[in-house]
């Protein structure tokens, strides 16, 4: 808290927290996030899922940084540098966990079949990763400006930028869930033949449990993002922002549980390969066309030593086929439909 002497002298230091953060609660979350980093890294090496593991570990490392700031705030609740560590780490860390979720979805689609998806594969990656990149950039900029400045106008600007970043992340998750629901409905209602090559995967109980864990992790991140959006929009000095219990449960615990689910039910255990480029089965964008036979070419006989025009003429007349009484109807052409164009 600011002293009366400081405020009377014209400088009143900014108050970030009105309470001392719990040392035990924040230290437990810090330790659990730190333990998950080597575990995820080892699983990524074992199951050849380096991109997924690196993305999750980046989010976990940022969470560790954030809760280091929380632990340090226990002794100095209004230290600006510690509060910046807390804000940057706990705000941007879950963004990378969301990116890891988006890495898994194309491989789930590849197991069931591309014909069930409700999006084009060329814009899936561009859309979601562009949204998360913009979200992370705005969260970083808004978090720094809203904490490093003391002017109320600059603080409000930083808070608005941070709110926009969190809102974009929430919109990305909402779009992701919407298309995932459409995909699930298509798998259950459409009469398409599943690829027998992956029958051992989509018929296994472990894969169904993995899908349940994947869905639950997504919902946990949605709850966390919605909560953090409300906290920032209300302001750092609001009652909801100053409630440590809500922060530990609706932010730290939600991210921790989502990451544990992705670690225990690691995608590489049930999916043949966690790299999207090797799993995606591309569908041809151009319709198949029937192969037309080459026109029949009679061999040249002009240079033959036994060639006589009269004999050839008589031979053609003798062996020419008779005209049929019924005209031959041309065979109907089958229209080739591009399955990719239906989407």
């Amino acid at each position: 808290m600011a002293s009366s002497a400081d405020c009377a002298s014209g400088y009143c230091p900014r108050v970030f927290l009105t309470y001392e953060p719990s040392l035990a609660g924040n230290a437990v979350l810090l330790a659990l996030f730190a333990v998950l980093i080597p575990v995820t890294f080892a699983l990524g090496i074992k199951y050849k899922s380096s991109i997924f593991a690196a993305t999750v570990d980046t989010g976990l490392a940022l969470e560790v940084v954030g809760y280091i700031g929380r632990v340090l705030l226990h002794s100095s609740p209004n230290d600006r540098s510690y509060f910046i560590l807390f804000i940057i780490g706990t705000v941007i860390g879950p963004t990378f966990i969301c990116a890891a979720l988006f890495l898994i979805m194309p491989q789930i689609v590849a197991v069931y079949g591309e014909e069930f998806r409700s999006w084009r594969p060329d814009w899936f990656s561009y859309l979601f990763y562009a949204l998360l990149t913009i979200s992370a950039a705005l969260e970083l900029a808004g978090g720094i400006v809203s904490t490093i400045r003391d002017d109320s106008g600059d603080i409000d600007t930083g808070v608005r930028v941070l709110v926009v970043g969190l809102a974009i992340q929430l919109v990305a998750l909402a779009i992701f869930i919407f298309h995932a629901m459409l995909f699930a409905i298509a798998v259950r209602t459409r009469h398409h033949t599943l690829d027998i090559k992956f029958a051992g995967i989509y018929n296994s109980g472990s894969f169904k449990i993995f899908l349940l864990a994947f869905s639950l992790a997504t919902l946990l991140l949605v709850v966390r993002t919605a909560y953090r959006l409300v906290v920032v929009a209300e302001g750092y000095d609001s009652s909801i922002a100053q409630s440590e219990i809500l922060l530990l449960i609706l932010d730290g615990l939600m991210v921790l549980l989502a990451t544990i689910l992705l670690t225990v039910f690691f995608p590489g255990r049930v999916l043949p390969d966690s790299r999207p480029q090797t799993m995606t089965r591309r569908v041809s964008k151009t319709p198949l066309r029937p192969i037309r036979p080459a026109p029949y070419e009679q061999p040249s006989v002009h240079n033959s030593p036994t060639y006589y025009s009269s004999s050839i003429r008589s031979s053609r007349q003798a062996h020419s086929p008779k005209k049929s009484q019924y005209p031959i109807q041309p065979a109907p052409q089958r229209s080739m439909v591009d399955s990719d164009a239906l989407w």
Side-chain angles (χ1 to χ4, degrees):
M1 299 294 293
S3 64
S4 57
D6 290 334
C7 294
S9 63
Y11 174 75
C12 186
R14 185 176 174 185
V15 177
F16 292 101
L17 294 178
T18 59
Y19 64 93
E20 291 184 356
S22 170
L23 181 61
N26 290 284
V28 168
L29 287 176
L30 169 61
L32 292 175
F33 281 125
V35 167
L36 287 175
I37 293 177
V39 174
T40 306
F41 181 76
L43 291 174
I45 294 177
K46 180 179 179 179
Y47 295 106
K48 299 179 180 180
S49 308
S50 57
I51 298 178
F52 174 81
T55 305
V56 174
D57 280 344
T58 303
L60 290 173
L62 287 169
E63 288 287 342
V64 168
V65 171
Y67 281 92
I68 287 176
R70 291 283 301 178
V71 170
L72 294 175
L73 283 170
H74 172 73
S75 57
S76 302
N78 293 313
D79 188 282
R80 188 187 303 272
S81 58
Y82 298 161
F83 191 78
I84 292 176
L85 288 179
F86 156 64
I87 288 293
I88 299 302
T90 58
V91 168
I92 303 180
T95 306
F96 285 88
I97 310 298
C98 294
L101 292 177
F102 298 162
L103 283 172
I104 301 174
M105 192 62 193
Q107 297 149 59
I108 298 175
V109 172
V111 168
Y112 284 107
E114 295 288 336
E115 60 271 18
F116 296 105
R117 58 178 169 77
S118 60
W119 61 83
R120 292 185 178 272
D122 52 354
W123 66 257
F124 176 86
S125 299
Y126 291 114
L127 174 64
F128 288 107
Y129 295 125
L131 289 176
L132 288 185
T133 301
I134 295 172
S135 173
L138 293 177
E139 288 169 356
L140 178 62
I144 292 177
V145 172
S146 62
T147 53
I148 204 172
R149 306 292 293 181
D150 290 325
D151 182 74
S152 59
D154 294 336
I155 294 174
D156 292 340
T157 301
V159 168
R160 284 193 292 267
V161 172
L162 184 54
V163 167
V164 172
L166 289 169
I168 291 176
Q169 182 177 334
L170 189 61
V171 168
L173 286 170
I175 297 175
F176 177 75
I177 293 175
F178 174 73
H179 283 286
M181 291 177 61
L182 291 181
F183 176 77
I185 294 173
V187 169
R188 288 187 172 273
T189 58
R190 292 183 185 174
H191 301 286
H192 288 291
T193 303
L194 298 178
D195 193 342
I196 194 173
K197 181 172 66 174
F198 299 112
I201 298 177
Y202 53 71
N203 288 330
S204 65
S206 58
F207 181 70
K208 296 176 182 178
I209 296 176
F210 162 75
L211 292 180
L212 180 61
F214 176 78
S215 303
L216 182 57
T218 305
L219 292 178
L220 290 173
L221 289 176
V222 169
V223 171
R224 174 265 162 193
T225 306
Y227 160 76
R228 205 57 184 268
L229 178 62
V230 173
V231 168
V232 177
E234 290 292 326
Y236 294 138
D237 56 349
S238 63
S239 59
I240 187 173
Q242 295 295 328
S243 174
E244 186 178 27
I245 296 179
L246 291 179
L247 175 70
L248 295 179
I249 295 177
L250 296 180
D251 189 285
L253 186 60
M254 296 296 104
V255 179
L256 178 65
L257 291 178
T259 312
I260 290 176
L261 287 173
L262 294 177
T263 304
V264 174
F265 304 97
F266 199 76
R269 290 179 174 175
V270 294
L271 297 174
D273 196 339
S274 293
R275 290 170 294 183
Q277 61 269 21
T278 60
M279 279 290 299
T280 304
R281 296 173 293 174
R282 298 184 179 274
V283 182
S284 175
K285 294 184 178 181
T286 57
L288 299 175
R289 297 180 181 178
I291 302 176
R292 296 182 179 179
Y296 177 75
E297 296 180 2
Q298 293 183 350
S300 176
V301 296
H302 290 278
N303 297 327
S304 174
T306 59
Y307 170 77
Y308 296 101
S309 59
S310 59
S311 62
I312 293 298
R313 190 181 303 113
S314 61
S315 176
R316 288 179 178 175
Q317 292 175 357
H319 297 284
S320 60
K322 294 182 180 181
K323 295 183 178 180
S324 177
Q325 296 178 350
Y326 303 98
I328 299 176
Q329 299 292 335
Q333 297 290 334
R334 295 181 62 186
S335 61
M336 309 299 291
V337 180
D338 181 14
S339 61
D340 197 47
L342 297 176
W343 300 93

